[in-house]
Amino acid sequence: MKLLVDSGSTKADWISIDESGKVLFTTQTLGLNPEVLGKEEVISRLEDKFDISHNKKNVSHLYFYGAGCGTERMKNFLADIFQEYFTNAIISVHEDTYAAVYATTPKNEKAIVCILGTGSNCSYFDGKVLHQKVQSLGYIAMDDCSGNQFGRHLIRGYYFNKMPKDLAEAFEKAHNLEADVIKHHLYKEANPNAYLATFAKFLIQHKEHEFCKKIIYSSMQDFVDFYITQYENCKEVPVHFIGSIAFYLREELKEVMDKNGLHLGNVLRRPIDGLIQYHSLNK
C-alpha cells in the first residue's frame, strides 16, 4: 500500500493506492507543516483519522509533499516522525512544490510552477530538477499573494480604519473580529498562518469591491515581481499554478500575467489527483 499526501498548512489530502494504482481510500487531516507544528501535534493529527491509524503497519511507501518542507532540517524532522509511525514504510518527504510540478507539468517539459494557497511559493522545473531562487522565510516575512497574506491585509485594513464602512460591516458579520479573539488565534493557537488564510474567502467573495480589488491586483503584481521574474526565461515557458487562491482568482491572475507578458499555464485547485497518475506510472 502506498500513501500519497499533499499537505498545506490548512489541510492535507491523503490517498492510498495499491501497486496497480487503484484507490483504496481517501481521507483528509489538518495540515502537517513542520515549521509550525511539533512532534506531538503531528502524531495527534495522524491518530485522529481511522483510515490512517488503522493501516499504519500496512503502508509500504509514504510519499509526502508538504508546505514547510523546503529545508533539509524540516524534511528530516518530519521524515523521522513518519518513520516512527509508519514502521514498515519507505519514507519520502518533499516540499509541496514537487507535488505541484508532477500534477501540472508534462514529463520532461520546462515550466515555472507556483503555489498560491494558504502560503505561496515559486520554482523553476527544467524538466528533471527543481530550482528555487527564493528561499521562503515563512508567512511572517514572505508568502506574497497567499491566503494568509490576504487575511493580514484585511485585518490591518479593518483595524487601521482604512476599510470602507460598507465592507467593514460585512466583515464584522462574517468573522469574529474582537481583538482578544484574533490575538489568541495568532499567538496562542497552532497554525496562525492557516487562521489568517480563513479570511481570504471574504476577500474572494467581495473581489469586485475596490478595496479588495486593490489588494488582489497589487499582491499578484508583487508575486510576479518578487518571485516569477527571478527566472530569466520566465516569458519563454508556461507558468503553472496550484492552490485555492490561484484557482478562485484565476481570471484576475490571467489579467496580471498577460499584462506582464507571461504565459499562464495550468491552474489547479489541488494536485493530489495528478499524483495518483504520476506514482502509478513511476513505480
Side-chain angles (χ1 to χ4, degrees):
M1 175 191 295
K2 294 181 182 179
L3 273 182
L4 316 179
V5 191
D6 170 43
S7 174
S9 295
T10 306
K11 61 182 176 60
D13 292 315
W14 296 67
I15 290 186
S16 170
I17 62 175
D18 62 18
E19 288 302 314
S20 66
K22 178 183 177 182
V23 175
L24 302 176
F25 70 80
T26 64
T27 190
Q28 192 176 86
T29 66
L30 293 173
L32 300 177
N33 186 335
E35 292 281 6
V36 294
L37 298 179
K39 178 180 178 179
E40 290 185 2
E41 182 62 25
V42 171
I43 292 177
S44 174
R45 294 185 180 191
L46 297 176
E47 284 289 294
D48 191 49
K49 293 296 178 179
F50 175 80
D51 284 330
I52 297 174
S53 61
H54 182 69
N55 288 289
K56 60 184 179 182
K57 291 185 179 180
N58 300 323
V59 178
S60 60
H61 294 81
L62 172 68
Y63 299 98
F64 183 90
Y65 303 90
C69 297
T71 66
E72 288 302 315
R73 186 171 69 88
M74 289 296 97
K75 287 179 189 176
N76 293 335
F77 168 74
L78 208 52
D80 288 344
I81 296 174
F82 289 147
Q83 193 65 76
E84 181 179 322
Y85 191 80
F86 301 101
T87 54
N88 299 317
I90 296 173
I91 307 298
S92 178
V93 177
H94 298 282
E95 61 180 297
D96 50 358
T97 308
Y98 273 97
V101 168
Y102 297 151
T104 61
T105 311
K107 189 173 182 180
N108 299 323
E109 181 180 290
K110 298 177 181 179
I112 291 173
V113 182
C114 308
I115 295 173
L116 292 183
T118 297
S120 66
N121 206 341
C122 178
S123 301
Y124 173 68
F125 187 63
D126 67 9
K128 294 182 179 180
V129 179
L130 200 62
H131 304 272
Q132 200 160 3
K133 284 199 172 183
V134 177
Q135 175 65 58
S136 176
L137 297 177
Y139 76 99
I140 294 178
M142 292 186 172
D143 274 1
D144 295 62
C145 200
S146 66
N148 78 71
Q149 191 195 57
F150 283 161
R152 189 162 61 248
H153 279 311
L154 287 173
I155 292 172
R156 285 172 57 85
Y158 177 83
Y159 266 90
F160 281 123
N161 302 308
K162 298 297 183 182
M163 183 180 287
K165 185 177 179 181
D166 62 322
L167 193 63
E169 290 175 352
F171 198 35
E172 290 168 350
K173 291 179 181 179
H175 293 278
N176 186 336
L177 299 175
E178 292 183 17
D180 285 342
V181 171
I182 293 174
K183 288 189 287 186
H184 177 79
H185 280 284
L186 292 180
Y187 305 113
K188 299 293 184 180
E189 295 285 342
N191 294 95
N193 54 335
Y195 168 71
L196 285 170
T198 62
F199 295 93
K201 181 179 179 180
F202 180 87
L203 185 83
I204 294 170
Q205 290 174 334
H206 295 83
K207 67 179 186 177
E208 296 303 323
H209 195 289
E210 284 303 317
F211 181 83
C212 295
K213 190 178 293 186
K214 182 178 179 180
I215 292 174
I216 291 168
Y217 282 99
S218 63
S219 296
M220 287 183 173
Q221 187 60 52
D222 283 345
F223 189 82
V224 169
D225 293 339
F226 297 143
Y227 293 78
I228 296 176
T229 57
Q230 295 274 347
Y231 303 101
E232 293 78 4
N233 63 341
C234 62
K235 295 185 179 182
E236 301 168 9
V237 298
V239 184
H240 304 309
F241 285 85
I242 287 280
S244 56
I245 297 300
F247 183 79
Y248 290 114
L249 294 174
R250 54 193 179 278
E251 293 179 5
E252 291 76 10
L253 189 58
K254 179 71 164 59
E255 287 184 42
V256 174
M257 295 290 283
D258 287 347
K259 176 184 174 183
N260 288 273
L262 300 166
H263 172 54
L264 180 64
N266 297 316
V267 180
L268 304 178
R269 182 166 174 254
R270 61 179 202 159
I272 193 68
D273 295 330
L275 291 178
I276 297 175
Q277 182 180 15
Y278 175 81
H279 283 287
S280 296
L281 295 174
N282 296 273
K283 297 179 181 180

